[in-house]
């Protein structure tokens, strides 16, 4: 069993790794590192920047900023941190970090001039300071203390939250904390680049403001940072000073979105692919390269990052950059993307003549166009000798002589191909071969360079960017041959044949398109699709797509599915002409209607099923799509594109699925002409998913060895006690999460009943509900479970019994009495720990006792879950804390003090006893401070708690009361944290 380190151990390791790549680290010795840096640069706890350090650096980096005027500059910069909206503030501050801040200075001759002041020296990184500190505490409306922060010149660029799996936490919990920090103290994140969430095994990073689902791994590194320890490799590769400054300066986009702007930083494969392109252009030797990144990895943004860097950096003097897409739809998508991004120098070629004009002018900018627009561009019109072309869906570049047209128009250019589905149709000159086309080694690509950079399907699945896809073969389904449904000529062929002989004849003589248009077969397929969708897809809210080989078959499927499911649930998409028969014309849609249908499919409840022909197999990203019903014989890159439509992640979605009515997957080696790894991970037989479920169930059930698997209270108590402490607690939480997703993907399936899996899953679901009520105080945890699991619980688990046997409690005298009624000490300890933490968390800043008690609870729980103390000892220790919490509130009432008064009184009498003459004096001081706070601080507007005017006025109140009235100036002079603490009590108790 793995022996995981504590959070402090993770923190210590991470600081030591940062130290080896160039960071000055504070806290490796086990102390609170931020305290040392706070003392060195006189930081107050409500500040998020080391202003004195930044002032030193600004003077050192800018000749126009001096000791005499730097304070004025810093005062102005402090105002730039004030922002009502985090993303607006972050965007504005990023401009200051990368472009500099304007500042008016007076020269010796009295003349003023405006200059740009650099906050960071990107050209000479060694001129900057790099500090990594632990336990950086910031107190504003509330107090937060992230585990590690990275400061460049005193500016916080990275905030890290670390967890230990030994203490029932992982990186998911760290992300939750980071999101809460951004909400509680957004000022810390206004200058931030990204956040890091890590545990003992894994690391995720996300841009400031990113939602949970956009925290992603960094699983690659250049040779100098390569390491068998994946965590150490990620920290060094992502957070070394050179990469950090490169990301900050060159790899940040802001995107306008309907729900608010988003900050975008690159994934690791995007970052390294872009740098490979930049290196190739900078070296100037080879002029081609293939970027083979699996679909779903973000190739569009890779191209945009490359374009931005090529235009803004010195790899080329005056480059013209082309992004070439293969359809008008993708062109529109990329145009909309560019319009919403913070990328300045770009234009779109609106037609062939306009494209030719742009090529002739050769202006240094990004040009967006389609490959088809090159078909009539005059040759040798290239007006810029530094042209870089990036072709999306690179295999299309080789179709219909379009590549030759492009070569003629831009004969002297760098050309990089981007694809998730390279084509290799053969080795002859006429055969399309993406590898040969974009390899600098040409015909020798097999022994030379096949690609400049690769990101595989396997890597995408392991990183969670895409999901595994499973297939089910249904091509041998039984369907009735209806001779009356066949034409006369075909009917003649059947005369004298048995039914089996007729079926065999159809399989041998009829092509796949004709087969998909035979009515009895379509009837049977529609019946199966309808049933499969209701049982496997719809219960969890996913959607499906039927892929057909012809417009006629699409119309046939559409008719029948609409009859079964209604017009709202089914839409049919293909192009039509005026000459088409009524069968096909009935589903006519124009481009705008198709766009509206696609938007509704992605965003609205209906439609639930799309039936398509020659549409949506490329460039269609809809995470809600889980299942493709495939009745078209696809191979190689077109099959890979179809697979990729179902593999987009969404919350609760375990996998994509293809139900194969054509037998495409019967022989995967014939269907996919790729390397063994790609074939192995592109799509797997769904029977493997059932085996995964069996293995996962066995793993989770092993946790409860020796416990009867019945519905008795005794068994439930014993099971919950088993998973109350580590390592079983962690194993059950993570194991059941995975098990539930697998069950949702497989059910319903008669094998679940036949093998006894369903009975075991019912029992585990019951335990999980009891466990969640005990450990998280959730009254109705079953409501948060996935649909098929909720159905199992509602039909087979008596929720009322669980609520009776595992009640949830809140802190209070009644709670302390009720908890005594619990027989099981493990359950009892879990209940008390949760209720105590829930009560203390929002109150930590309200009274110094609460903070100390919170630390005690954390210590008790960690020792209990680490098996240092047993269940009964943990119960008694936690009960003692509970009683002390209740005593705090009772004592305040006894003394007739309001909460803020009592907090200040407690601090004076328990934290600064030597400075106070008596308890009476402490009472008087506390009363006076609160009285003046009430009279002098305006609390009638939003944001008063963090306003600089509030902070300054509280400090003046403390000077007036402590220094002038009571001669207690030593409290302020001798204790740097005293003013911060009193201010926190006043603000936290007056919310």
């Amino acid at each position: 069993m793995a022996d995981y380190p504590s959070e402090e151990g993770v923190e210590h390791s991470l600081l030591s790794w940062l130290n080896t790549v160039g960071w000055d680290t504070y806290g490796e010795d086990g102390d609170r590192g931020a305290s040392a840096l706070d003392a060195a640069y006189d930081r107050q706890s409500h500040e998020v920047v080391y202003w004195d350090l930044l002032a030193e650096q600004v003077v050192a980096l800018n000749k126009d900023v001096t000791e005499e005027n730097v304070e004025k500059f810093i005062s102005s910069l402090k105002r730039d941190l004030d922002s009502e909206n985090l993303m607006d503030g972050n965007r504005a501050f990023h401009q200051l970090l990368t472009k500099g801040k304007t500042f008016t200075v007076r020269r010796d001759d009295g003349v003023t001039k405006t200059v740009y002041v650099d906050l960071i020296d990107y050209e000479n990184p060694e001129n900057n300071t790099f500090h990594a500190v632990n336990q950086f505490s910031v107190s504003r409306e509330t107090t937060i203390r992230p585990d590690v922060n990275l400061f460049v010149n005193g500016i916080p660029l990275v905030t890290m939250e670390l967890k230990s799996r030994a203490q029932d936490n992982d990186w998911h919990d760290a992300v939750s904390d980071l999101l809460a920090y951004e909400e509680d103290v957004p000022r810390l994140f206004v200058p931030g680049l990204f956040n890091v969430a890590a545990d003992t095994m894994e690391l995720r990073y996300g841009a400031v403001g990113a939602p949970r689902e956009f925290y992603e791994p960094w699983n690659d590194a250049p040779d100098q940072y390569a390491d068998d320890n994946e965590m150490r490799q990620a920290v060094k590769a992502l957070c070394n000073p050179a990469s950090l400054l490169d990301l900050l300066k060159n790899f940040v986009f802001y995107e306008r979105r309907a729900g608010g702007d988003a900050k975008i930083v690159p994934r690791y494969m995007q970052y390294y692919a872009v740098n490979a392109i930049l290196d190739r252009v900078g070296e100037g030797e080879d002029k081609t390269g293939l970027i083979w990144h699996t679909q779903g990895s973000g190739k569009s943004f890779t191209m945009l990052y490359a374009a931005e860097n090529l235009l803004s950096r010195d790899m080329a003097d005056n480059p013209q950059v082309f992004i070439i897409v293969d359809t008008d739809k993708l062109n529109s998508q990329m145009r909309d993307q560019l319009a919403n991004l913070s990328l300045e120098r770009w234009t779109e070629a609106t037609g062939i003549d306009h494209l030719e004009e742009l090529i002739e002018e050769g202006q240094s900018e990004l040009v967006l166009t389609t490959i088809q627009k090159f078909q009539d561009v005059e040759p040798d019109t290239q007006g810029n000798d530094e042209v870089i072309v990036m072709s999306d869906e690179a295999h299309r570049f080789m179709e219909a002589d379009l590549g030759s047209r492009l070569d003629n128009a831009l004969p002297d250019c760098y050309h990089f191909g981007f694809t998730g589905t390279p084509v290799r149709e053969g080795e002859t000159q006429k055969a399309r071969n993406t590898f040969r086309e974009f390899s600098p080694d040409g015909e020798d690509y097999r022994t030379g360079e096949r690609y400049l950079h690769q990101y595989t399907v396997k890597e995408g699945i392991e990183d969670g960017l895409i999901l595994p896809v499973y297939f089910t073969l249904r091509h041998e389904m039984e369907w009735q041959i209806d001779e009356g449904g066949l034409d006369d000529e075909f009917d003649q062929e059947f005369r004298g044949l048995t039914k089996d002989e007729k079926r065999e004849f159809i399989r041998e003589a009829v092509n796949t398109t004709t087969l998909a248009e035979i009515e009895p077969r379509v009837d049977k397929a529609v019946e199966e699709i309808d049933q499969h969708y209701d049982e496997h897809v719809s219960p969890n809210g996913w959607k499906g797509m039927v892929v057909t080989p012809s417009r006629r078959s699409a119309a046939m499927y559409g008719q029948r599915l609409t009859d079964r499911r209604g017009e709202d649930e089914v839409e049919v998409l293909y192009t039509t002409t005026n000459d088409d028969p009524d069968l096909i014309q009935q589903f006519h849609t124009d481009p705008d209607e198709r766009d509206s249908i696609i938007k509704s499919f992605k965003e609205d409840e209906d439609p639930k099923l799309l039936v398509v022909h020659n549409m949506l197999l490329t460039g269609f990203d809809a995470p809600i799509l889980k299942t493709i019903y495939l009745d078209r014989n696809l191979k190689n890159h077109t099959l890979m594109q179809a697979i990729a439509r179902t593999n987009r992640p969404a919350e609760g979605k375990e996998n994509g699925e293809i139900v194969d009515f054509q037998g495409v997957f019967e022989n995967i080696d014939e269907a996919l002409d790729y390397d063994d790894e790609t074939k192995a991970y592109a799509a797997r037989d769904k029977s493997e998913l059932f085996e995964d479920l069996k293995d996962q169930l066995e793993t989770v059930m092993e946790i409860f060895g020796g416990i009867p698997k019945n519905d008795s209270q005794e068994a439930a108590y014993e099971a919950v006690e088993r998973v109350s402490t580590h390592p079983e607690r962690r194993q059950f939480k993570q194991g059941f999460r995975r098990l539930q997703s697998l069950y949702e993907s497989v059910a319903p399936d008669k094998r679940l009943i036949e093998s006894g899996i369903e009975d075991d899953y019912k029992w585990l679901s019951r335990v999980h509900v009891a466990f969640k009520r005990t450990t998280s105080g959730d009254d109705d945890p079953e409501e948060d479970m996935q649909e098929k699991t909720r159905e199992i619980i509602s039909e087979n688990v008596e929720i009322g019994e669980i609520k009776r046997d595992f009640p949830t409690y809140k802190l209070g005298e009644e709670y302390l009495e009720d908890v005594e009624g619990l027989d099981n000490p493990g359950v009892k300890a879990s209940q008390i720990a949760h209720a105590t933490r829930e009560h203390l968390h929002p109150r930590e800043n309200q009274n110094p006792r609460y903070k100390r008690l919170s630390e005690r609870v954390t210590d008790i729980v960690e020792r209990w879950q680490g098996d240092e103390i047993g269940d009964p000892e943990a119960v008694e220790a936690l009960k003692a804390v509970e009683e002390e919490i209740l005593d705090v509130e009772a004592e305040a009432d006894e003394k007739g003090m309001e909460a803020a008064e009592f907090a200040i009184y407690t601090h004076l009498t328990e934290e600064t006893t030597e400075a106070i003459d008596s308890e009476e004096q402490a009472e008087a001081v506390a009363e006076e401070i609160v009285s003046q706070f009430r009279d002098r601080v305006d609390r009638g507007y939003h944001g008063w708690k963090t306003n600089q005017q509030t902070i300054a006025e509280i400090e003046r109140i403390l000077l007036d009361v402590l220094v002038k009235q009571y001669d207690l100036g030593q409290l302020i002079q001798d204790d740097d944290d005293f003013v911060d603490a009193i201010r926190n009590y006043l603000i936290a108790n007056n919310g």
Side-chain angles (χ1 to χ4, degrees), residues 962-991:
L962 296 173
V963 178
K964 296 179 181 178
Q965 289 185 241
Y966 287 94
D967 194 25
L968 292 172
Q970 70 271 24
L971 284 170
I972 300 174
Q973 184 176 351
D974 298 342
D975 186 354
D976 292 337
D977 295 329
F978 179 82
V979 173
D980 289 336
I982 303 304
R983 182 180 60 251
N984 288 339
Y985 302 146
L986 290 168
I987 291 174
N989 286 294
N990 284 278

Side-chain angles (χ1 to χ4, degrees), residues 773 779-780 782 799-808:
R773 286 180 62 82
D779 284 328
D780 300 295
E782 67 278 3
I799 292 294
E801 287 183 6
I802 295 180
K803 290 189 174 185
R804 182 195 67 216
D805 295 339
F806 297 91
T808 58

Side-chain angles (χ1 to χ4, degrees), residues 293-314:
H293 285 188
T294 189
Q295 297 193 27
S297 59
K299 292 188 295 298
S300 294
F301 270 104
T302 306
M303 289 190 286
L304 293 174
Y305 279 123
E308 175 73 355
N309 276 272
L310 287 164
L311 291 168
S312 62
R313 299 172 71 176
D314 58 1

Side-chain angles (χ1 to χ4, degrees), residues 426-433 436:
E427 302 302 333
T428 67
Q429 281 298 319
K430 290 186 177 181
R432 293 189 304 165
N433 189 321
R436 181 184 62 208

Side-chain angles (χ1 to χ4, degrees), residues 227-244:
D227 198 309
D228 291 338
N229 183 322
E230 293 179 0
M231 266 279 289
R232 184 163 56 213
Q233 173 178 284
V235 169
K236 289 182 175 184
L238 174 63
C239 297
N240 69 84
S243 294
L244 189 72

Side-chain angles (χ1 to χ4, degrees), residues 846-861:
Q846 293 180 4
N847 192 290
R849 289 190 197 168
Y850 286 146
K851 187 177 290 290
R852 294 196 299 270
L853 290 169
S854 179
E855 291 168 353
R856 272 178 58 192
V857 171
T858 299
D859 179 64
I860 293 166
V861 170

Side-chain angles (χ1 to χ4, degrees), residues 30 44 176 185 198 219 303 335 484 556 581 623 702 750 831 865:
Q44 295 184 320
S176 297
V185 186
N219 283 341
M303 289 190 286
R335 180 185 63 233
M556 294 171 70
E702 284 176 357
K750 63 182 181 181
Q831 290 278 24
Q865 292 183 349

